[in-house]
Structure formats: structure tokens, C-alpha cells
Amino acid sequence: MSLHSAAAHLVTLAEGAENGGNHDSLSPYLTGFGAFGTLLLLLWITTRFNRDR
């Protein structure tokens, strides 16, 4: 297997051509609110440990 054919195979695999390229994706709202909630949780944890004594 040459380098060119191996690279071509990896590109088609990365494109999702093996299963037609169609798949269900996550909701952008779910992803956004999940990330926002995670960042708020991390902010809350950081402020709890960063109190003036």
C-alpha cells in the first residue's frame, strides 16, 4: 500500500463515505447550554476556593 492510497483511504474514511455521510448530530442548543452550565459551575467552584480569608 503506497502512501498516496493510504492517505486517500483515510480521507474517505474521515469524510464518512463508508456510511453515506449522514448521521444525527447533537442539538446546538443542547451543546451550548451544556457548555454554559459547565462554565458557570467551574466559575462557582473557582470563586469558592478563591475567597479572601
Side-chain angles (χ1 to χ4, degrees), residues 2-53:
S2 70
L3 182 62
H4 179 70
S5 64
H9 178 69
L10 287 174
V11 167
T12 56
L13 186 65
E15 287 176 347
E18 300 293 327
N19 60 3
N22 296 329
H23 60 85
D24 295 331
S25 63
L26 291 174
S27 168
Y29 294 110
L30 178 67
T31 305
F33 285 126
F36 183 66
T38 302
L39 288 173
L40 284 179
L41 178 67
L42 288 172
L43 179 64
W44 181 78
I45 290 170
T46 302
T47 56
R48 295 296 102 197
F49 285 114
N50 198 18
R51 286 183 159 177
D52 289 333
R53 296 176 189 174

